[in-house]
Amino acid sequence: MITKKYLRQQTIRALMAMPADQRQQATRDLHQQLWSSSAWQRAKTVATTISGDFELATAPIIARAQAEGKTIAVPTTLPNRQMAFHVVDDQTNFATSSFGLQEPTNGEIIAPATFDLLIVPGLIFAASGERLGFGGGYYDRYLVKTTGTKVALALPAQWVATPTWPVAEYDVLLDEIFQVTP
């Protein structure tokens, strides 16, 4: 049986090998799908992440949310695999976490129940809403606390029709996955 670890490694390799022009076009397409969605249109408070090297770029999402007057927040990791989302604005300071990601060190913390829209990271997304994350369980612990719309943006290497990994009862399903076909 293929392990989650193996699937994660294969997906990261595929994302890193994606030609820059294809990545840029797919990213633009995914951003446009997000911005034209009803979930984005009606959202006043949005959660996303600061993307890492091989992940879909989130800086344009943050900038667009700010330009549209939405409250945008990104996570900081806490002990016991917990997270808190801090508002991002021109006063926000960032530091590199132990995971090598940029995390806010200040800013108002948004309560989980306040989010209208959460753009959830992951490595693989299935059409029926399952996601294979990075393995820490941070998002599964957080998403159960919110009623906001949960979406993901899947580059071609991240999209599958059905999960090819074991899905646990505590895995939180996404409401919608935006994707581009290869």
Short mmCIF file of all heavy atoms in Angstrom, two decimals, residues 65-93:
data_model
loop_
_atom_site.label_atom_id
_atom_site.label_comp_id
_atom_site.label_asym_id
_atom_site.label_seq_id
_atom_site.Cartn_x
_atom_site.Cartn_y
_atom_site.Cartn_z
N ALA A 65 -7.33 40.59 -1.08
CA ALA A 65 -8.24 40.73 0.07
C ALA A 65 -8.09 42.11 0.70
O ALA A 65 -9.08 42.78 1.00
CB ALA A 65 -7.95 39.64 1.10
N GLN A 66 -6.85 42.55 0.88
CA GLN A 66 -6.61 43.87 1.47
C GLN A 66 -7.16 44.98 0.57
O GLN A 66 -7.81 45.91 1.05
CB GLN A 66 -5.12 44.08 1.73
CG GLN A 66 -4.61 43.19 2.85
CD GLN A 66 -3.09 43.19 2.98
OE1 GLN A 66 -2.37 43.35 2.01
NE2 GLN A 66 -2.62 43.01 4.21
N ALA A 67 -6.95 44.86 -0.74
CA ALA A 67 -7.43 45.86 -1.69
C ALA A 67 -8.96 45.95 -1.69
O ALA A 67 -9.53 47.01 -1.90
CB ALA A 67 -6.92 45.55 -3.10
N GLU A 68 -9.62 44.81 -1.42
CA GLU A 68 -11.08 44.77 -1.40
C GLU A 68 -11.65 45.08 -0.01
O GLU A 68 -12.86 44.98 0.19
CB GLU A 68 -11.58 43.41 -1.89
CG GLU A 68 -11.29 43.18 -3.36
CD GLU A 68 -11.84 41.86 -3.88
OE1 GLU A 68 -12.61 41.17 -3.15
OE2 GLU A 68 -11.52 41.51 -5.03
N GLY A 69 -10.78 45.42 0.94
CA GLY A 69 -11.25 45.78 2.27
C GLY A 69 -11.66 44.60 3.14
O GLY A 69 -12.34 44.77 4.15
N LYS A 70 -11.23 43.40 2.76
CA LYS A 70 -11.52 42.22 3.58
C LYS A 70 -10.47 42.13 4.70
O LYS A 70 -9.35 42.60 4.54
CB LYS A 70 -11.43 40.95 2.73
CG LYS A 70 -12.44 40.90 1.58
CD LYS A 70 -12.29 39.63 0.77
CE LYS A 70 -13.15 39.60 -0.48
NZ LYS A 70 -14.57 39.61 -0.24
N THR A 71 -10.85 41.53 5.79
CA THR A 71 -9.88 41.20 6.84
C THR A 71 -9.21 39.90 6.43
O THR A 71 -9.89 38.91 6.15
CB THR A 71 -10.59 41.03 8.20
OG1 THR A 71 -11.22 42.26 8.53
CG2 THR A 71 -9.60 40.65 9.29
N ILE A 72 -7.89 39.90 6.36
CA ILE A 72 -7.15 38.70 5.96
C ILE A 72 -6.23 38.31 7.11
O ILE A 72 -5.61 39.17 7.73
CB ILE A 72 -6.37 38.93 4.64
CG1 ILE A 72 -5.67 37.65 4.16
CG2 ILE A 72 -5.38 40.07 4.74
CD1 ILE A 72 -6.50 36.79 3.28
N ALA A 73 -6.17 37.02 7.40
CA ALA A 73 -5.36 36.54 8.51
C ALA A 73 -4.59 35.30 8.09
O ALA A 73 -5.05 34.52 7.24
CB ALA A 73 -6.25 36.23 9.71
N VAL A 74 -3.40 35.15 8.68
CA VAL A 74 -2.55 34.00 8.42
C VAL A 74 -2.15 33.36 9.75
O VAL A 74 -2.17 34.03 10.79
CB VAL A 74 -1.30 34.36 7.58
CG1 VAL A 74 -1.71 34.90 6.22
CG2 VAL A 74 -0.41 35.34 8.31
N PRO A 75 -1.80 32.07 9.73
CA PRO A 75 -1.57 31.37 10.99
C PRO A 75 -0.17 31.49 11.57
O PRO A 75 0.81 31.71 10.86
CB PRO A 75 -1.84 29.91 10.62
CG PRO A 75 -1.39 29.83 9.19
CD PRO A 75 -1.74 31.16 8.59
N THR A 76 -0.15 31.31 12.86
CA THR A 76 1.09 31.05 13.58
C THR A 76 0.86 29.73 14.30
O THR A 76 -0.26 29.44 14.74
CB THR A 76 1.45 32.19 14.54
OG1 THR A 76 2.72 31.93 15.12
CG2 THR A 76 0.43 32.37 15.64
N THR A 77 1.89 28.90 14.37
CA THR A 77 1.74 27.61 15.04
C THR A 77 1.98 27.78 16.54
O THR A 77 2.79 28.59 16.97
CB THR A 77 2.71 26.57 14.46
OG1 THR A 77 4.03 27.11 14.45
CG2 THR A 77 2.31 26.19 13.05
N LEU A 78 1.23 27.00 17.30
CA LEU A 78 1.29 27.04 18.76
C LEU A 78 1.63 25.64 19.27
O LEU A 78 1.55 24.67 18.52
CB LEU A 78 -0.07 27.49 19.31
CG LEU A 78 -0.58 28.85 18.83
CD1 LEU A 78 -2.02 29.06 19.26
CD2 LEU A 78 0.33 29.97 19.34
N PRO A 79 1.95 25.51 20.56
CA PRO A 79 2.18 24.17 21.11
C PRO A 79 0.95 23.26 20.94
O PRO A 79 -0.16 23.74 20.74
CB PRO A 79 2.45 24.45 22.60
CG PRO A 79 2.92 25.87 22.64
CD PRO A 79 2.18 26.57 21.53
N ASN A 80 1.18 21.97 21.03
CA ASN A 80 0.13 20.95 20.94
C ASN A 80 -0.59 20.96 19.59
O ASN A 80 -1.79 20.69 19.52
CB ASN A 80 -0.87 21.08 22.09
CG ASN A 80 -0.18 20.97 23.43
OD1 ASN A 80 0.65 20.08 23.64
ND2 ASN A 80 -0.47 21.90 24.32
N ARG A 81 0.15 21.31 18.54
CA ARG A 81 -0.38 21.28 17.17
C ARG A 81 -1.62 22.15 17.00
O ARG A 81 -2.58 21.77 16.32
CB ARG A 81 -0.62 19.85 16.71
CG ARG A 81 0.67 19.05 16.68
CD ARG A 81 0.44 17.63 16.23
NE ARG A 81 1.65 16.86 16.40
CZ ARG A 81 2.30 16.26 15.40
NH1 ARG A 81 1.87 16.36 14.19
NH2 ARG A 81 3.39 15.58 15.66
N GLN A 82 -1.59 23.31 17.63
CA GLN A 82 -2.67 24.28 17.53
C GLN A 82 -2.19 25.46 16.68
O GLN A 82 -0.99 25.62 16.46
CB GLN A 82 -3.09 24.78 18.92
CG GLN A 82 -3.58 23.68 19.85
CD GLN A 82 -4.87 23.04 19.37
OE1 GLN A 82 -5.80 23.71 18.96
NE2 GLN A 82 -4.90 21.71 19.39
N MET A 83 -3.14 26.28 16.23
CA MET A 83 -2.81 27.47 15.44
C MET A 83 -3.65 28.64 15.92
O MET A 83 -4.75 28.45 16.45
CB MET A 83 -3.14 27.27 13.96
CG MET A 83 -2.33 26.24 13.25
SD MET A 83 -2.63 26.22 11.45
CE MET A 83 -4.37 25.89 11.34
N ALA A 84 -3.14 29.84 15.66
CA ALA A 84 -3.91 31.07 15.84
C ALA A 84 -3.70 31.90 14.58
O ALA A 84 -2.58 31.95 14.04
CB ALA A 84 -3.43 31.85 17.06
N PHE A 85 -4.76 32.51 14.07
CA PHE A 85 -4.67 33.33 12.87
C PHE A 85 -4.63 34.80 13.25
O PHE A 85 -5.51 35.29 13.95
CB PHE A 85 -5.86 33.06 11.95
CG PHE A 85 -5.70 31.80 11.14
CD1 PHE A 85 -5.92 30.55 11.71
CD2 PHE A 85 -5.32 31.85 9.80
CE1 PHE A 85 -5.77 29.39 10.99
CE2 PHE A 85 -5.17 30.70 9.07
CZ PHE A 85 -5.39 29.46 9.65
N HIS A 86 -3.59 35.49 12.75
CA HIS A 86 -3.39 36.91 13.04
C HIS A 86 -3.74 37.74 11.80
O HIS A 86 -3.36 37.37 10.68
CB HIS A 86 -1.92 37.19 13.39
CG HIS A 86 -1.47 36.55 14.66
ND1 HIS A 86 -1.33 37.26 15.83
CD2 HIS A 86 -1.13 35.27 14.95
CE1 HIS A 86 -0.92 36.44 16.78
NE2 HIS A 86 -0.79 35.22 16.27
N VAL A 87 -4.38 38.88 12.02
CA VAL A 87 -4.67 39.81 10.94
C VAL A 87 -3.37 40.28 10.31
O VAL A 87 -2.40 40.57 11.02
CB VAL A 87 -5.49 41.02 11.46
CG1 VAL A 87 -5.62 42.10 10.39
CG2 VAL A 87 -6.85 40.58 11.95
N VAL A 88 -3.35 40.34 8.98
CA VAL A 88 -2.19 40.85 8.25
C VAL A 88 -2.52 42.25 7.74
O VAL A 88 -3.52 42.44 7.04
CB VAL A 88 -1.83 39.94 7.05
CG1 VAL A 88 -0.69 40.53 6.25
CG2 VAL A 88 -1.48 38.55 7.52
N ASP A 89 -1.68 43.20 8.12
CA ASP A 89 -1.80 44.57 7.62
C ASP A 89 -0.41 45.18 7.54
O ASP A 89 0.59 44.46 7.71
CB ASP A 89 -2.76 45.41 8.48
CG ASP A 89 -2.35 45.48 9.94
OD1 ASP A 89 -1.13 45.36 10.25
OD2 ASP A 89 -3.23 45.67 10.79
N ASP A 90 -0.33 46.48 7.31
CA ASP A 90 1.00 47.08 7.14
C ASP A 90 1.80 47.17 8.44
O ASP A 90 2.97 47.55 8.43
CB ASP A 90 0.91 48.45 6.45
CG ASP A 90 -0.02 49.41 7.17
OD1 ASP A 90 -0.54 49.08 8.26
OD2 ASP A 90 -0.22 50.51 6.63
N GLN A 91 1.18 46.80 9.57
CA GLN A 91 1.89 46.78 10.86
C GLN A 91 2.40 45.39 11.23
O GLN A 91 3.06 45.22 12.25
CB GLN A 91 0.93 47.26 11.97
CG GLN A 91 0.33 48.63 11.73
CD GLN A 91 1.38 49.72 11.65
OE1 GLN A 91 2.25 49.79 12.50
NE2 GLN A 91 1.33 50.54 10.61
N THR A 92 2.08 44.39 10.43
CA THR A 92 2.42 43.01 10.78
C THR A 92 3.91 42.75 10.64
O THR A 92 4.53 43.11 9.64
CB THR A 92 1.64 42.02 9.88
OG1 THR A 92 0.25 42.31 9.97
CG2 THR A 92 1.89 40.58 10.30
N ASN A 93 4.46 42.11 11.66
CA ASN A 93 5.84 41.65 11.64
C ASN A 93 5.83 40.13 11.49
O ASN A 93 4.93 39.46 12.00
CB ASN A 93 6.56 42.03 12.94
CG ASN A 93 6.67 43.53 13.10
OD1 ASN A 93 7.03 44.24 12.18
ND2 ASN A 93 6.32 44.01 14.27
#
